[in-house]
Amino acid sequence: MTGGITRRQALVLGSVGVGAVVVGGAGFALTELLSSEQQAGPGLPDRAPAAGAAWQEPDVLTSRDGVLDLELSVAAADVALGDTTVRMLTYNGTVPGPTLHLRPGDRLRIRLVNGLDEPTNLHTHGLYVSAEGNGDNPFVSVAPGESFAYEIDLPGDHPSGVFWYHPHRHGVVADQLFAGLYGAIVVDEEDWSIHPPRVVVVSDVTVAGGAVAGVTGFERMLGRTGETLLANGRPAPVLRGPAGDAQRLLLINACASRYLDLRFGGLDAQVRGVDSARWAEPVSADRLVLAPGNRADVVVTMPDAATRLIAAEYDRGQGAGGMMGGMDAVSPEAAVLALEPGAAAPASAIAPATPNRLSDLGAVGVDATRTLTMSMGMGGGAGMRFLIDGRGFAPGRVDQSVRIGSVEEWTIVNDSPMDHPFHLHIWPMQVLRQGGQDVVGVDVRDVVDVPAGSAVTVRIAFDAFPGRTVYHCHILDHEDLGMMGVIEAS
Ligand code: C2O
Ligand code: CU
Ligand code: CU
C-alpha cells in the first residue's frame, strides 16, 4: 500500500482524482439573500444524529430459480437514524430499502406501490437491461395511490457488480432521494451464505424539526449537500472484526450531490472494480473519488487500531456562472464509517473477483462521434438554467439517435464553473481521455465526472436494447432543473 504507484492505481487516481477547476470572478455576494432564506425556515433547534452507531445493513432479498419478485412500497415513515428519529421517505419502511441480490440472467419483478402524495417511479441505476415498456423506463410516472409492475430481465452475460435503485420522476428526483429513497442491487454468482459482502449505502441528509429539511433555490442550484453523512442510514457506524481480517465493502454513493473523496490512509484497501467494471487485478489505493451515483468494490484489512474511513472535503466549484464570488459548493470532511478491531467472529474468506468481459473499445473502429456540452445559463426558477447542448430536458424530444450495433465516441464538455457527473443509462462508457490526459487501461463506468471547464471523451458500444432512455447530470438537483437529454437507440 505504501509502495510505488502502480499503473492501475494511476488509472484509478488519474481518472477520478481530477480536481475542480476553480473559475474566479468576483461579484455580489449572496450572503444576504441566503440568510433571509434560512430565516424563513423552521427555526427549530435540530439535533443531528450522533456518530458511532452499531453496524447495520439493509435486509437482503435474493433471487431464487432465476426470479426475484417483490413489492416496494413507497411511503413516509419514522426512521431511526442512529440515536434520533426522523420522518423520511422509505421503501418498505427502511432507509436504505432492501438490498436486491441477483444473478446474471435473472428476472426482476417489482411491484412499486406509491403511497406518497406526489408521483414517483423507479430506476435500476447501472443495470444493463431494456429501458422499454415496463423495463427500466425513466418515462414511467406512477401517480399517488397507484402501482406499477416493473419486469426487468438481466441478460445471461450481465456484468457482475454493484448497482442501485432510486426514484427517477423528473422534477422531484432530488427531493425524493434526499428524503431516503435508495437501495442497493448486487449482481454476482456468489453464495452470500458463504461469502457475504458488506453493502455500504452512503447518503447524506439534513434533519430539521424531526423531518428531512427542505432546500432553498440556491441550494438546488449548487446541488444540495446534507449536513449528516450516513452509511446504511446511520452516521459513521462502527464495523468490528478481528485485526487482519479482510472485509469486502460494496460502496454506493447515493448522495444527491456530494462527491465522496474517500481516503484509505492507514488502511490496506484493494479496489476490485468501479461501477459494473471488475478488474483482473485489484488496485491498491489511498484515495478513490466516487461521484454521485458511482459504486466501488473494495477489500479492506481490519486495522490493529480503530480507524475511520474519511470522505475528505471536496470542492465542486461555483454555481451561478461564477458571479457569486466565493460561494463554492464545498462538502466538509466527514467520516463514512469506523473500523474497530474487536472480538467479533472472523469474517469468511472472500472469493476472488470474477473479471467481467470488458472489450477494450479503445482499439475498435468508431461509427460516429458527437459532442455534448453541459452548461448553465441565466433565467429559470432557481435563477439558473441547467442545459445540455443549450436545451433543457423535454421528454418528447429525441436529442441523440444512435444505431444498435454501433460504437460511438462522445466528447462531453463542461462549459460551466462547477463539476457535473455525467450519467448515461443502460450502456456503460469507457473513459478514454479526461482533463486533457489519456486514460491508461480500460476504465468503464456509468457515471463519469466532468470537472468544471474541462472535457471527457468516452466510447460507448450500443450493442443491445433498442428504445428510448436518458442521460443527465447526476447532481440530481441539476437533473430536476433540466440538465438531462433523451437518447433513442434503434
Ligand atoms: Cu442514478 Cu438516471 O440515474
Ligand atoms: Cu441511472
Ligand atoms: Cu450538474
Side-chain angles (χ1 to χ4, degrees), residues 193-333:
S193 63
I194 301 170
H195 300 296
R198 303 286 192 181
V199 170
V200 189
V201 183
V202 184
S203 61
D204 61 5
V205 71
T206 303
V207 176
V212 177
V215 292
T216 62
F218 186 74
E219 287 171 289
R220 278 182 207 279
M221 195 255 314
L222 286 182
R224 69 190 73 187
T225 302
E227 283 171 2
T228 305
L229 193 62
L230 303 172
N232 296 336
R234 298 188 160 195
V238 179
L239 179 58
R240 289 196 173 79
D245 245 27
Q247 297 277 357
R248 180 175 172 220
L249 307 178
L250 305 182
L251 293 151
I252 299 171
N253 185 353
C255 298
S257 308
R258 184 194 292 247
Y259 284 56
L260 295 173
D261 185 353
L262 300 173
R263 302 300 173 101
F264 299 107
L267 283 171
D268 176 19
Q270 306 287 325
V271 182
R272 312 203 316 170
V274 169
D275 293 356
S276 60
R278 284 295 162 282
W279 304 330
E281 298 286 339
V283 180
S284 177
D286 293 323
R287 179 183 180 206
L288 178 65
V289 179
L290 297 182
N294 280 139
R295 294 85 60 204
D297 181 339
V298 183
V299 174
V300 298
T301 304
M302 267 295 172
D304 296 325
T307 305
R308 295 186 313 161
L309 171 58
I310 295 293
E313 179 181 290
Y314 199 88
D315 186 343
R316 296 188 278 112
Q318 292 186 326
M323 65 179 202
M324 296 157 191
M327 299 300 287
D328 279 25
V330 178
S331 51
E333 176 180 300

Side-chain angles (χ1 to χ4, degrees), residues 142-154:
V142 185
E146 304 280 298
S147 65
F148 188 83
Y150 289 93
E151 194 164 274
I152 294 170
D153 285 315
L154 278 63

Side-chain angles (χ1 to χ4, degrees), residues 32 35 57 91 112 267 301 329 364 370-371 374 409 452 478:
E32 282 173 8
S35 52
E57 282 174 56
Y91 289 119
L112 186 79
L267 283 171
T301 304
V364 307
R370 43 187 104 206
T371 300
M374 297 187 282
E409 181 169 302
H478 296 173

Side-chain angles (χ1 to χ4, degrees), residues 42 56 59 64 78 113 127 136 140 191 206 245-246 249 264 277 284 309-310 325 333 368 388 422:
Q56 159 183 276
D59 290 343
R64 293 179 62 143
D78 291 327
V113 181
L127 288 190
D136 178 28
V140 163
D191 180 349
T206 303
D245 245 27
L249 307 178
F264 299 107
S284 177
L309 171 58
I310 295 293
E333 176 180 300
I388 300 181
F422 181 87

Side-chain angles (χ1 to χ4, degrees), residues 123 125 164 166 168 423 425 470 472 474 476:
H123 168 48
H125 179 130
W164 61 302
H166 61 78
H168 217 288
H423 173 48
H425 285 209
V470 293
H472 58 88
H474 218 288
L476 295 171

Side-chain angles (χ1 to χ4, degrees), residues 31 50 79 135 144 165 183 226 233 243 259 271 299 316 325 329 399 404 406 415 421 436 463 468 474 482:
T31 327
V79 174
Y165 59 93
Y259 284 56
V271 182
V299 174
R316 296 188 278 112
D399 298 291
I404 293 292
S406 66
D415 197 10
D463 43 8
R468 280 192 325 146
H474 218 288

